[in-house]
Amino acid sequence: MSEDSSLPAVSVVICSYSEARWDRLRGALDSVRTQTVPPKQTIVVVDYNVDLYKRLIFTVPDAVIVENTGPKGLSGARNTGAGIAKAEIVAFLDDDAEAEPDWLERLAAMYDDPNVLAVGGRVEPLWEAGRPGHFANELDWIVGCTYRGMPKVAAEVRNVIGANMSFRAEVLDRVGGFNTALGRQDGVPLGCEETELCIRAVIGAPGSRVVYEPAALVHHHVPVERGTLRYMLARSWGEGISKAQVSRVVGHKRALGPERRYVRQVLPRAVFAGIRGWLGGGDRAGLGRAATILAVLAATATGYLRGRRLPSAPSPQKTAAVSGEEPWREVQ
């Protein structure tokens, strides 16, 4: 194991809420222990589960174990972890993900540019029982993973993916952290808190960038139930509601820029490819993938319309530019 003193120090935050994920959480911690560039500290935040907190205290001596001091949910837990982080960079890893040994090294290297506010990496699904035939790669965002259509090399993007992301600590402090009105709570499949935070961060620092580095890789465990059509539609509905909430905080154009390209270019290609594969006889699951893509798109759109009718999610920190008409670049 080697340390590169030229790289900024990193604190790693892992949030957990259920003892059912115990083995996965231990795997995540083990992957952090074997990093080529070790973190300054590893923080595990327990989201309102006293039994899990006690179990960690007695069995994980090499990490800082704390309880969520904010509102219940992933956003509150992440803010708790960021609040006690001592390093210049704060990296977040899901409790059911395992990082490659050079994960932190790859993330930290991108911060040599002072205009980079956040860096995210690639998230590959680790299917518990293999990828379902109806689950297109273009839909991997449903299970919190990198999806087909994202950049294949390091590039500027609108937002990072929650399972594999990092921020300058000063940025998290400046923007008020993750919006606790957004994000997953227990098993409720809402999200977009990292999207909203990235948008607010860039708005508040003109000329700054969020970067996606696919070489910074983590593997995200995907249980069988998350590959079912039932879960896919529920998650899509939740994503639509979440996107609507974000659009009401930061503006419609900022919230949906990359999604327009995804819907206009990526999904049509995936639907036609599935149908062609099925008609050609070589891909029996092709028609199912095409139909699932259309169903997911419909569920997401319906959720968005529903979310537009809900009360607005308040922003942790108001930014003057949020309500303006400043142009937004569609970079993802």
Side-chain angles (χ1 to χ4, degrees):
M1 186 178 292
S2 63
E3 287 193 56
D4 185 344
S5 59
S6 67
L7 296 176
V10 183
S11 292
V12 174
V13 175
I14 302 174
C15 302
S16 191
Y17 70 94
S18 173
E19 284 190 273
R21 295 189 179 203
W22 178 257
D23 290 339
R24 303 296 173 190
L25 174 57
R26 294 299 298 266
L29 287 166
D30 285 343
S31 74
V32 174
R33 293 185 182 104
T34 58
Q35 291 296 301
T36 55
V37 175
K40 183 171 186 177
Q41 61 184 157
T42 301
I43 303 165
V44 180
V45 184
V46 179
D47 190 26
Y48 292 88
N49 186 323
V50 175
D51 290 338
L52 176 59
Y53 174 73
K54 291 179 178 178
R55 189 175 184 183
L56 284 165
I57 286 289
F58 287 111
T59 58
V60 183
D62 59 343
V64 179
I65 313 298
V66 297
E67 294 183 279
N68 180 9
T69 58
K72 186 177 183 180
L74 185 54
S75 292
R78 284 171 172 167
N79 288 341
T80 296
I84 64 173
K86 298 179 179 180
E88 177 185 347
I89 307 299
V90 183
F92 296 88
L93 180 69
D94 274 12
D95 65 346
D96 56 354
E98 295 186 16
E100 286 291 311
D102 62 349
W103 171 59
L104 285 182
E105 185 175 359
R106 297 281 190 174
L107 290 179
M110 302 302 290
Y111 287 100
D112 62 346
D113 181 349
N115 290 321
V116 172
L117 302 184
V119 181
R122 191 163 94 253
V123 184
E124 289 291 335
L126 190 60
W127 297 94
E128 187 174 56
R131 177 185 290 273
H134 61 268
F135 208 121
N137 296 81
E138 288 81 359
L139 300 179
D140 281 359
W141 58 266
I142 289 175
V143 290
C145 295
T146 301
Y147 55 89
R148 183 175 291 158
M150 290 187 65
K152 295 183 179 180
V153 297
E156 181 180 354
V157 293
R158 182 194 60 188
N159 63 275
V160 292
I161 298 175
N164 178 3
M165 60 182 180
S166 65
F167 298 86
R168 294 189 188 275
E170 62 182 8
V171 171
L172 292 173
D173 182 63
R174 171 172 61 81
V175 302
F178 293 91
N179 191 334
T180 56
L182 301 171
R184 182 178 291 269
Q185 294 187 13
D186 294 330
V188 180
L190 299 176
C192 292
E193 68 278 9
E194 62 272 1
T195 300
E196 190 259 3
L197 188 147
C198 288
I199 293 173
R200 282 191 289 115
V202 172
I203 288 173
S208 61
R209 299 187 297 138
V210 173
V211 174
Y212 170 65
E213 169 54 284
L217 173 63
V218 307
H219 304 276
H220 193 196
H221 174 71
V222 183
V224 173
E225 59 270 18
R226 293 198 177 182
T228 63
L229 183 59
R230 179 186 180 90
Y231 179 84
M232 294 174 76
L233 295 180
R235 177 68 182 88
S236 302
W237 168 270
E239 182 74 4
I241 290 176
S242 301
K243 280 289 193 297
Q245 292 288 291
V246 172
S247 71
R248 297 179 70 173
V249 174
V250 301
H252 180 79
K253 292 182 179 179
R254 294 186 178 98
L256 298 179
E259 284 76 10
R260 292 193 187 97
R261 184 186 70 84
Y262 174 75
V263 170
R264 292 172 183 170
Q265 300 178 23
V266 177
L267 290 188
R269 286 199 299 266
V271 170
F272 292 140
I275 294 173
R276 282 197 306 268
W278 175 70
L279 290 174
D283 185 2
R284 295 181 180 180
L287 185 62
R289 284 198 304 277
T292 301
I293 289 171
L294 295 176
V296 163
L297 180 59
T300 306
T302 305
Y304 180 83
L305 293 175
R306 170 59 179 156
R308 295 289 291 178
R309 299 188 183 97
L310 296 175
S312 298
S315 176
Q317 182 171 319
K318 292 182 179 179
T319 306
V322 166
S323 59
E325 293 300 324
E326 180 182 314
W328 182 252
R329 294 171 293 166
E330 298 183 13
V331 293
Q332 182 166 295

